């Protein structure tokens, strides 16, 4: 239930109580102690009713003030947003021209990059082929060097063996 609805229901209940109090005062209009008691009850009920009415009015004005303040803030925010929107629209026009120029330059550079990229790819393929041939020749050279070392060491062994044999032959002749 909303606060406004609660306030309205309270007001209606208080009005009903006031009518009951007034009606009870009119019905027992005699000069008796009951009348004094009813008058006292009526006055206290009336005072309670008035204080509640005043509080309701006070709350009502507070709520109105809050609503007015909120509306003022909303209007200010709306104005600020409209100003920001205007500034944004003003910014897009000059920048649009510059953006177009830069995009054209990018397209030109892209067109120049295509043949350069193709040339680079061709050179990379050639480099890979030459590198592969170089590596094959290097392997072949390493194998040949290993073979040479083997032959040289075998030759040295056989020469040493021959020298020893000759040396033995020379000693046997002495």
């Amino acid at each position: 239930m909303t606060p406004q609805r609660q306030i309205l229901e309270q007001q209606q209940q208080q009005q009903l109580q006031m009518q009951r109090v007034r009606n009870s005062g009119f019905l027992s209009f005699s000069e008796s102690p009951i009348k004094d008691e009813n008058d006292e009850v009526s006055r206290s009920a009336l005072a309670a009713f008035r204080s509640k009415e005043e509080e309701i009015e006070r709350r009502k004005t507070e709520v109105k003030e809050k609503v007015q303040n909120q509306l003022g803030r909303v209007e200010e925010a709306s104005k600020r947003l409209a100003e920001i929107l205007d500034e944004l629209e003003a910014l897009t026009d000059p920048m649009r021209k510059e953006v177009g120029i830069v995009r054209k330059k990018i397209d030109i550079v892209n067109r120049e990059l295509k043949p350069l990229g193709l040339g680079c790819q061709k050179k990379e393929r050639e480099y890979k082929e030459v590198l592969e041939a170089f590596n094959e020749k290097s392997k072949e050279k390493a194998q040949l060097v290993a073979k040479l070392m083997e032959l040289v060491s075998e030759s040295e062994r056989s020469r040493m063996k021959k020298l020893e044999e000759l040396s033995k032959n020379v000693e046997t002749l002495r």
Side-chain angles (χ1 to χ4, degrees):
M1 190 182 303
T2 64
Q4 292 175 341
R5 187 173 179 136
Q6 288 176 341
I7 292 171
L8 285 174
E9 286 182 8
Q10 287 175 351
Q11 287 175 344
Q12 288 173 351
Q13 288 174 355
Q14 289 171 353
Q15 287 174 353
L16 285 173
Q17 285 178 346
M18 281 299 291
Q19 286 177 351
R20 286 184 195 140
V21 169
R22 287 179 188 155
N23 289 341
S24 66
F26 288 123
L27 292 176
S28 59
F29 194 77
S30 61
E31 298 285 330
S32 67
I34 295 172
K35 180 185 175 199
D36 290 339
E37 219 175 271
N38 280 344
D39 284 345
E40 192 64 36
V41 169
S42 299
R43 285 186 198 133
S44 66
L46 186 60
F49 175 75
R50 284 183 184 155
S51 69
K52 285 185 179 182
E53 276 292 317
E54 289 171 0
E55 183 165 338
I56 289 170
E57 283 298 317
R58 184 180 52 79
R59 285 187 182 176
K60 195 169 146 183
T61 55
E62 287 176 2
V63 169
K64 279 184 181 179
E65 288 174 2
K66 287 180 184 178
V67 168
Q68 291 299 324
N69 288 338
Q70 189 71 18
L71 283 174
R73 280 181 263 159
V74 167
E75 287 176 8
E76 286 178 29
S78 177
K79 287 178 185 176
R80 278 186 276 156
L81 287 173
E83 289 172 2
I84 290 171
L85 184 62
D86 289 342
E87 288 178 22
L88 282 174
E89 288 175 358
L91 282 177
T92 56
D93 286 340
M95 294 180 85
R96 187 175 290 158
K97 186 176 182 179
E98 291 175 19
V99 167
I101 292 170
V102 171
R103 283 185 177 161
K104 285 179 184 177
K105 287 180 181 179
I106 289 172
D107 290 340
I108 291 169
V109 171
N110 273 339
R111 279 187 237 127
E112 292 172 357
L113 275 176
K114 281 184 183 179
L116 292 174
L118 293 173
C120 184
Q121 288 175 351
K122 183 180 176 184
K123 298 285 183 187
E124 282 179 351
R125 271 185 259 130
E126 290 175 5
Y127 170 76
K128 286 179 183 176
E129 290 171 1
V130 169
L131 182 64
E132 190 177 306
F134 174 79
N135 286 337
E136 285 178 21
K137 290 295 179 183
S138 292
K139 283 181 187 177
E140 188 179 338
K141 178 185 171 185
Q143 289 171 350
L144 290 173
V145 168
K147 180 93 172 171
L148 176 66
M149 295 295 286
E150 196 177 303
L151 290 173
V152 167
S153 64
E154 191 177 310
S155 172
E156 284 178 0
R157 268 183 277 151
S158 72
R159 285 172 57 204
M160 286 297 276
K161 201 176 193 182
K162 283 269 186 190
L163 274 173
E164 284 178 18
E165 282 178 21
L166 287 175
S167 180
K168 279 183 187 178
N169 285 338
V170 169
E171 282 184 23
T172 56
L173 289 176
R174 275 190 202 184

